[in-house]
Amino acid sequence: MKVLISGASVAGPVLAYWLDRYGVETTVVERTPALRHGLGGHAVDLFGHATDVVRQMGLWAEVVDARTMIEKLTIERTGARPVHVDLGRLYAGMSDRHVEILRGELTRILSAATAHTSEYLFGDSITALADDGAGVDVTFEHSAPRRYDVVIGADGMHSTVRRLAFGPEEPVRRHLGGYLAVYSTPDLFGLGTEMLTHQSINRLAATYGVRQTGQARAAFMFRTDTELAYDYRDKDEQKRLLAREFDDYGWRVPQLLEHLEAADDFYFDAIAQITLDTWQRGRIGLVGDAGYCPAPAVGGGTSLAIATAYILAGELAANGPDGLRSYEAKVRQMVDRSRAIGPKVMGSIIPGGPAALRLLPWAASVVPKLPTPIQRFIWSQNAVGKALGSAPLPDYADLLSPRSPANPAQ
Ligand SMILES: Cc1cc2nc3c(=O)[nH]c(=O)nc-3n(C[C@H](O)[C@H](O)[C@H](O)COP(=O)(O)OP(=O)(O)OC[C@H]3O[C@@H](n4cnc5c(N)ncnc54)[C@H](O)[C@@H]3O)c2cc1C
């Protein structure tokens, strides 16, 4: 079986890694011109099953070494005393299977693990897919046309594979009422490994240090009742939009905005979900944000992408193209639960009113001081804990190819 994967961020390389371990040939096509150097992007969290998958890939030590190490958070609000949160304790209390890492670092580590086992086509994109029931003919912007047994879209919230095979984005995008932006700045406030955030009703700004570069990230989130009209590929338009939204904010925002124009890693997107309810059509499938983005920053999308890519690889290796259907059945509960989280988390992260503005800092400061078993209980009762800790991961060890280093039979 030959599988084409579109997208080399998180879901794509995990899928490529496991398919190779099961003896399946893969090509990964990625729109960006080369592998990201690693230090760009925002911090993402790996929880639960995702940490188990990374461990099984033999990459846990590397991921832990690359973690952000942000241990201290200060939450500020106008007219209230700052709240100091011990993030190290908060995370340790939530779960012993957690790590926070820059998305670029994670992508670098995952892609490097597949660099010699998958063929990578950088700076290219699929332009057409024709599934005739026995295979898929694929055309690209630059490479010559090819034929594959299965094509998988791991190309994120604005997936090209989804548009080509499942239809336009708009009807399957659910706006949760917010936006977020992230970009690099110098470490203007001597943060080191600290994070500062200022919350107000409907808006928040944050900045945290990046120990590997000695720089910092600026992050902004805001709510709007209506969807904003902009081109998601036009970074300059998005920068103007962000600057307009925060030009009266005060706090440390004016200094952070001074570095907006020059930022070459600017990220801006809607806090939106992909609500598609099937992720396979014939021999074409979707994984990660492309199929079921639970909403950036509020839904545990990175962990979901890793766990579901692992399951997709196992199902394809076990069942061939029919594995797309068994994969869909196996990941549905995890996806549904993750998509249920976003709207709830959004309500506490970007406060919609005075009560929410008081609640999050209070909870964030109190919970880490509770005994660990009580913290674990609180965590297990909330939606995030339940989604990421649902059904155990399937075991595909008997599919490992004889040349796979992890196969004890070799
Ligand atoms: C600011 C921010 C904070 C976040 N915080 C968290 C968090 O704390 N915890 C968490 O779990 N998740 C978080 N997320 C979400 C997380 O980043 C995604 O859910 C996760 O990366 C999904 O991985 P993916 O591989 O499915 O898609 P993506 O990471 O979006 O990757 C898609 C890849 O496809 C490529 N691509 C796009 N179009 C094409 C094309 N036409 N052809 C070829 N390649 C293409 C892209 O360049 C990219 O490499 C956050 C997101 C943001 C933006």
Side-chain angles (χ1 to χ4, degrees):
M1 192 164 58
K2 277 167 59 181
V3 176
L4 173 65
I5 301 165
S6 173
S9 170
V10 176
V14 173
L15 177 62
Y17 174 90
W18 285 104
L19 285 175
D20 172 69
R21 292 275 301 266
Y22 305 140
V24 176
E25 205 180 305
T26 54
T27 303
V28 183
V29 55
E30 165 59 47
R31 192 202 283 285
T32 56
L35 198 56
R36 291 176 190 85
H37 58 78
L39 293 166
H42 51 83
V44 297
D45 292 298
L46 303 192
F47 289 110
H49 289 338
T51 63
D52 300 335
V53 171
V54 171
R55 273 195 183 91
Q56 286 185 43
M57 293 169 77
L59 300 175
W60 183 243
E62 208 176 332
V63 165
V64 169
D65 274 355
R67 71 192 185 280
T68 59
M69 292 190 188
I70 296 171
E71 300 264 297
K72 223 173 116 188
L73 164 69
T74 303
I75 305 175
E76 298 182 24
R77 290 155 298 163
T78 304
R81 273 211 301 253
V83 172
H84 301 288
V85 182
D86 182 343
L87 284 181
R89 273 203 68 134
L90 183 71
Y91 290 145
M94 278 177 177
S95 164
D96 52 9
R97 290 145 80 214
H98 168 261
V99 67
E100 184 186 68
I101 181 170
L102 294 176
R103 192 179 92 155
E105 285 277 73
L106 181 63
T107 296
R108 174 185 63 75
I109 293 169
L110 296 174
S111 303
T114 53
H116 303 293
T117 53
S118 289
E119 178 194 20
Y120 272 83
L121 306 175
F122 283 108
D124 210 347
S125 172
I126 297 171
T127 51
L129 295 166
D131 178 353
D132 61 15
V136 188
D137 289 311
V138 184
T139 56
F140 299 90
E141 275 173 16
H142 303 295
S143 307
R146 299 190 190 182
R147 185 171 170 83
Y148 288 90
D149 297 298
V150 170
V151 175
I152 302 295
D155 43 4
M157 173 130 92
H158 308 293
S159 166
T160 296
V161 171
R162 190 184 62 232
R163 178 172 51 75
L164 292 172
F166 296 76
E169 180 175 317
E170 206 169 282
V172 296
R173 190 181 64 228
R174 177 185 173 210
H175 186 56
L176 297 189
Y179 290 85
L180 69 101
V182 184
Y183 59 90
S184 291
T185 67
D187 186 359
L188 302 166
F189 311 112
L191 296 170
T193 54
E194 246 185 89
M195 179 167 178
L196 299 178
T197 178
H198 187 280
Q199 291 189 323
S200 58
I201 293 170
N202 294 335
R203 287 188 293 179
L204 74 85
T207 178
Y208 56 93
V210 175
R211 65 181 175 87
Q212 292 96 333
T213 58
Q215 286 198 311
R217 294 279 184 279
F220 298 84
M221 296 174 87
F222 62 96
R223 282 174 190 273
T224 58
D225 292 337
T226 49
E227 268 195 78
L228 301 173
Y230 64 93
D231 179 349
Y232 74 84
R233 284 156 302 205
D234 185 344
K235 295 291 168 205
D236 291 334
E237 184 186 6
Q238 294 158 27
K239 285 181 178 179
R240 286 194 296 275
L241 207 150
L242 178 70
R244 259 200 319 276
E245 201 60 43
F246 280 85
D247 67 350
D248 62 342
Y249 196 85
W251 189 60
R252 300 169 193 253
V253 165
Q255 291 107 301
L256 295 173
L257 288 182
E258 274 174 26
H259 299 272
L260 173 62
E261 204 179 317
D264 59 5
D265 61 350
F266 178 73
Y267 172 87
F268 183 90
D269 214 332
I271 303 179
Q273 300 190 320
I274 296 300
T275 60
L276 203 67
D277 60 4
T278 181
W279 314 298
Q280 43 83 24
R281 186 153 289 176
R283 288 170 171 258
I284 301 170
L286 300 170
V287 67
D289 278 5
Y292 31 77
C293 176
V298 297
T302 305
S303 293
L304 184 66
I306 291 175
T308 54
Y310 164 84
I311 295 173
L312 174 56
E315 294 303 315
L316 284 174
N319 306 309
D322 286 342
L324 286 173
R325 277 155 282 286
S326 47
Y327 146 75
E328 181 168 299
K330 286 209 157 80
V331 302
R332 183 168 297 282
Q333 187 190 51
M334 218 188 288
V335 168
D336 287 347
R337 288 183 168 183
S338 291
R339 287 197 292 210
I341 296 170
K344 294 180 188 154
V345 176
M346 168 104 179
S348 54
I349 291 192
I350 317 178
L357 190 58
R358 284 191 296 273
L359 182 67
L360 181 71
W362 176 80
S365 63
V366 167
V367 171
K369 293 175 189 144
L370 299 171
T372 301
I374 297 177
Q375 290 188 54
R376 294 263 158 98
F377 176 74
I378 294 171
W379 171 242
S380 71
Q381 294 308 299
N382 77 17
V384 183
K386 283 186 175 161
L388 298 172
S390 47
L393 275 181
D395 182 356
Y396 301 108
D398 57 341
L399 298 173
L400 287 169
S401 111
R403 67 185 167 80
S404 171
N407 187 342
Q410 74 168 348

